[in-house]
Amino acid sequence: MSHNPKLSVVIPVYNEADGLQALFDRLYPALDALNLSYELIFINDGSKDRSAALLSQQYRMRPEVTRVVLFNSNYGQHMAIVAGFEQSLGEIIVTLDADLQNPPEEIGRLVAAIDAGHDYVGTIRRERQDHWFRRHASRAMNALRERITHIRMTDQGCMLRAYRREIIDTINQCREINTFIPALAYTFAHHPTEIEVNHEERFTGTSKYSFYQLIRLNFDLVTGFSLVPLQAFSLLGMILALASAALFILLVVRRFILGSEVEGVFTLFAITFFLMGMLLFGIGLLGEYIGRIYQQVRQRPRYVIQAILQDQERV
Ligand code: UDP
Ligand code: MG
């Protein structure tokens, strides 16, 4: 095996013990069939089940094409991918989920799209096998995010993506903590494209993302890539301030012409509550940005690697 393979496949693994063998059984033959030099990089993101043991067992079966990075704890899917990127040597880098929702047989088509001159290949799931609520919620979020951040991803939830080396090198220079890899990569791409791929039901196990985490993810996506929410908020604040100034003048003039009034008190309450709600939202939004700044300035290590299993000759 040459020192720099053509293809690196990066796969984050978190509590996937039940499905790993099925993944290996399809992944290795699919990559062997491509007839190019490749390496597989698995990142065990602090799994609490037997995933780490299964990965090291698989490493011993195919040490010439397999590398395993073991985290000491759970740092999240995107940090796992970042660690995989930092280890990767390939010219083309493909990311894939471990749960077989992205068929490994599609990797060849991604590689072909990169060879055709694209530097970023996203994917769209042909028939998405997820709950309808998740499907619709993510479509609505996509539309909003696209407007705010100008990042065009038809299907942000699909991790099966391919990147050219230059993009990965740029990502490796970023020291961001709460990031979303496909979006970050998109901002560095010159010639992105998207292709349709098959999508399957999760082989076993359940999604590692709760509803709350999905909301968090979308906040990170917007605040991590755009200042538009803050700017829109100050614009809104300006309009409201002007409107209340006008109301104030109106009330003062009215007071002197028609005398004092007490009707409409509850309308006033409603307006006040609405404004208080807006204010709280604004403070929360500020908090999102400040939180990000805080995490960033602490400069803690983004993840800690416990061990790397790899062929000594290759590094
Ligand atoms: N994953 C991870 N760390 C986490 C959560 C998930 O490495 O904290 C991995 C997981 O093993 C899988 C991929 O990220 O390979 C996507 O996770 P999942 O399938 O649960 O997400 P979904 O497909 O539901 O968006
Ligand atoms: Mg999945």
Side-chain angles (χ1 to χ4, degrees), residues 11-16 43 45 74-77 80 96-99 101 125 130 134 157 159 202 206-209 214:
I11 307 181
V13 176
Y14 180 57
N15 292 346
E16 303 281 3
I43 304 91
D45 188 15
N74 181 244
Y75 295 96
Q77 178 186 1
L96 187 78
D97 279 358
D99 56 9
Q101 274 185 301
R125 290 171 277 193
D130 269 329
R134 241 187 111 166
M159 270 307 143
R202 216 173 198 294
T206 49
S207 171
K208 307 291 180 286
Y209 285 95
L214 283 179

Side-chain angles (χ1 to χ4, degrees), residues 81-131:
I81 293 175
V82 166
F85 283 172
E86 288 183 347
Q87 298 296 323
S88 69
L89 300 168
E91 213 178 288
I92 300 171
I93 292 90
V94 168
T95 57
L96 187 78
D97 279 358
D99 56 9
L100 277 179
Q101 274 185 301
N102 318 131
E105 293 78 18
E106 302 273 16
I107 294 176
R109 293 182 48 224
L110 291 175
V111 172
I114 295 270
D115 282 337
H118 297 284
D119 55 358
Y120 172 107
V121 186
T123 54
I124 307 164
R125 290 171 277 193
R126 204 167 278 136
E127 268 165 51
R128 206 171 152 184
Q129 305 286 332
D130 269 329
H131 196 261

Side-chain angles (χ1 to χ4, degrees), residues 23-229:
L23 174 72
F24 299 149
D25 291 346
R26 277 175 64 184
L27 186 58
Y28 283 85
L31 290 175
D32 288 332
L34 292 180
N35 266 324
L36 44 78
S37 58
Y38 71 88
E39 63 173 356
L40 270 164
I41 304 172
F42 294 98
I43 304 91
N44 176 43
D45 188 15
S47 300
K48 291 171 193 70
D49 61 4
R50 294 176 49 246
S51 298
L54 290 172
L55 288 174
S56 43
Q57 195 181 321
Q58 180 61 29
Y59 164 71
R60 284 194 293 276
M61 308 252 298
R62 295 290 299 271
E64 75 295 356
V65 290
T66 311
R67 283 201 271 166
V68 179
V69 179
L70 300 167
F71 279 0
N72 71 343
S73 171
N74 181 244
Y75 295 96
Q77 178 186 1
H78 292 272
M79 279 305 109
I81 293 175
V82 166
F85 283 172
E86 288 183 347
Q87 298 296 323
S88 69
L89 300 168
E91 213 178 288
I92 300 171
I93 292 90
V94 168
T95 57
L96 187 78
D97 279 358
D99 56 9
L100 277 179
Q101 274 185 301
N102 318 131
E105 293 78 18
E106 302 273 16
I107 294 176
R109 293 182 48 224
L110 291 175
V111 172
I114 295 270
D115 282 337
H118 297 284
D119 55 358
Y120 172 107
V121 186
T123 54
I124 307 164
R125 290 171 277 193
R126 204 167 278 136
E127 268 165 51
R128 206 171 152 184
Q129 305 286 332
D130 269 329
H131 196 261
W132 71 266
F133 176 75
R134 241 187 111 166
R135 248 183 359 245
H136 288 274
S138 72
R139 189 175 306 160
M141 263 321 295
N142 266 2
L144 180 66
R145 192 222 49 241
E146 218 161 84
R147 289 197 72 111
I148 296 180
T149 62
H150 304 294
I151 293 172
R152 251 169 243 309
M153 280 190 298
T154 314
D155 193 354
Q156 69 175 42
C158 193
M159 270 307 143
L160 177 61
R161 282 159 202 276
Y163 313 97
R164 209 182 262 287
R165 178 86 250 160
E166 298 83 73
I167 291 189
I168 300 303
D169 286 341
T170 317
I171 290 181
N172 287 346
Q173 288 169 23
C174 299
R175 294 249 109 16
E176 269 178 73
I177 293 172
N178 276 314
T179 194
F180 190 77
I181 296 299
L184 187 62
Y186 186 94
T187 59
F188 302 134
H190 295 298
H191 198 25
T193 186
E194 287 185 323
I195 61 173
E196 277 208 347
V197 293
N198 285 323
H199 184 237
E200 296 169 22
E201 201 116 23
R202 216 173 198 294
F203 182 72
T204 54
T206 49
S207 171
K208 307 291 180 286
Y209 285 95
S210 64
F211 183 61
Y212 170 73
Q213 281 170 314
L214 283 179
I215 294 179
R216 282 279 358 131
L217 179 79
N218 282 300
F219 259 110
D220 283 340
L221 251 175
V222 172
T223 56
F225 292 93
S226 165
L227 291 179
V228 167

